[in-house]
Amino acid sequence: MRRPRLPQLRGLRVRLVLAFTLVAAVTAATTGALTFREARTGVLQQSQDAVIQQLRTQVGRLAPDLFFPPAEGELQRFAADVARAEPTGNWRVMATYGRLSATSVQDDSFKELTPALRESVGSSIATVFQRVAVGDGTALVVGMSVTFADPPAKGVYPSGVHVFLTVPQTTERAYVDALVTAAERAAVPALTLAVLLALLAARGVLRPVRALRRATRSIAEGRLDTRLSVDGSDELADLSHTFNETAAALEKSVTELRGMEARARRFAADVSHELRTPLAAMSAVTDVLDEDAARLAPDTATAVRLISEETVKLARLVDDLMEISRFDAGAAVLHLDEIDLAESLRRTLDARAWNGLVDCDLPPPGTLRGRVDPRRLDVVVANLVGNALRHGARPVALCLYDGGEVGGTRLAVIEVLDSGPGIPDDVLPYVFERFYKSDAARARTEGSGLGLAITAENVRVHGGTVRAANRPEGGAVFTVRLPLPADEGTQGDRW
């Protein structure tokens, strides 16, 4: 039975596409994040530097006109003049001197101005800046001290006037939003390109893999001359080359084995055929000697009986070898006939005088019929019952019953049970093999060692199965299941 195909989501193509897409997505996201961070930093840095430079220039230009100590009105005018340095009117300026403070916009509380920034400006003459959150956006807050030059001291000194500037960063926010939008738009083509590249790569990788799969399946179906075309010099080409070498070696080995097997079958068949004529003559002679054994000397009579028994065994072995040879050669032919199965089993026991030795559990005549080869069914039952009588213990039972329907096919079940010691567990898997001996030290058997193998072959050509097992209460049981015609047989269990 062919194994069900795996879900497509586990296929190599899908995994390659997902891997390429994942790598592209991670790369695009990482690159976009790094680019966004650098661009955002550059935009904000440039805006910040421009604002600080412009503030310094404006304060430096207006500071010489400032009177000291300045009054509140003077600070108001100074703050307004500084704010006018930005034509768009986005600057909000606060000027302080001691406890005095004035803003360029009336009633402006300058909530963005933090105590830390005030303290930094008061303790240093350096320009200090800070970005603070204002509503949904941010604002740049810059603080600086107004200084005056001291030519004699060749330095500067603080005037006590502090200037604070607040600039909303709406333009910078728009630039940053534009960068995010551009990165998002660039990610879609990048992922699309990654998928296309993944499909092309998967196609290039999967083409030789599919060819290898088809070639492997072809070899599994018996076409050992299957080979792959080797293109290029990469790892897949090396794999194809190795596959071809393996297939060639396998074809050579299988051809040699088939030749050896055919010669062995032909040899067994030829030997068996050649032995039949002298064995027939020997059997005729031993029959005559058996009739006169009573008038011979005791030692001679014993030798005659021994020769007669061995001749019978040899004749049976030759017949079994001929039968096995026909199975091996595929020449076993079924001569099917619709018969009463129970009556056929009774005839098998009658022909061998086993009626008194075997307990029968058979259905009434005409109840269970099947289309089988009567001769081969006789061989199956005779081999199983004879095996139970030789190697088991009485009572031996022969059962036949309707096994019901399995997989749409009705089965007839034949069971042969004995009350012996059973079959060792390590022997059970091999009981139907040819010439198998459970005791390796046992050089000879009462039979040919082919009876159960012939039984299994006869059941197989009928499309049935045979199984050996041990019963819980002791003894062995051999179970044969044979298919019945769809419209034959009765529903039910054992009679």
Side-chain angles (χ1 to χ4, degrees), residues 468-480:
N470 289 315
R471 296 192 296 160
E473 61 271 22
V477 54
F478 287 82
T479 305
V480 176

Side-chain angles (χ1 to χ4, degrees), residues 400-445:
L400 171 67
Y401 58 94
D402 184 350
E405 188 171 311
V406 178
T409 302
R410 187 167 300 283
L411 300 176
V413 180
I414 302 172
E415 288 184 346
V416 177
L417 308 93
D418 66 62
S419 303
I423 305 173
D425 292 338
D426 59 336
V427 175
L428 273 175
Y430 311 105
V431 294
F432 295 106
E433 292 188 2
R434 302 172 186 180
F435 300 109
Y436 180 78
K437 298 179 181 179
S438 60
D439 184 2
R442 183 162 51 90
R444 289 180 55 81
T445 61

Side-chain angles (χ1 to χ4, degrees), residues 281-299:
M282 291 173 63
S283 297
V285 173
T286 54
D287 288 343
V288 173
L289 292 176
D290 283 340
E291 294 176 358
D292 297 335
R295 296 189 295 271
L296 298 175
D299 292 341

Side-chain angles (χ1 to χ4, degrees), residues 249-307:
L250 178 63
E251 182 181 16
K252 181 180 178 181
S253 299
V254 171
T255 302
E256 292 176 355
L257 289 174
R258 286 175 178 173
M260 295 170 60
E261 184 181 5
R263 288 192 295 271
R265 287 198 303 263
R266 188 165 56 251
F267 174 78
D270 292 343
V271 170
S272 301
H273 182 74
E274 293 297 328
L275 287 175
R276 296 188 73 176
T277 300
L279 279 175
M282 291 173 63
S283 297
V285 173
T286 54
D287 288 343
V288 173
L289 292 176
D290 283 340
E291 294 176 358
D292 297 335
R295 296 189 295 271
L296 298 175
D299 292 341
T300 305
T302 301
V304 167
R305 292 189 182 95
L306 180 60
I307 292 174

Side-chain angles (χ1 to χ4, degrees), residues 303-323:
V304 167
R305 292 189 182 95
L306 180 60
I307 292 174
S308 179
E309 291 174 0
E310 294 301 322
T311 302
V312 171
K313 291 180 180 179
L314 184 58
R316 186 182 301 121
L317 174 60
V318 170
D319 290 339
D320 288 346
L321 285 174
M322 291 291 293
E323 186 72 4

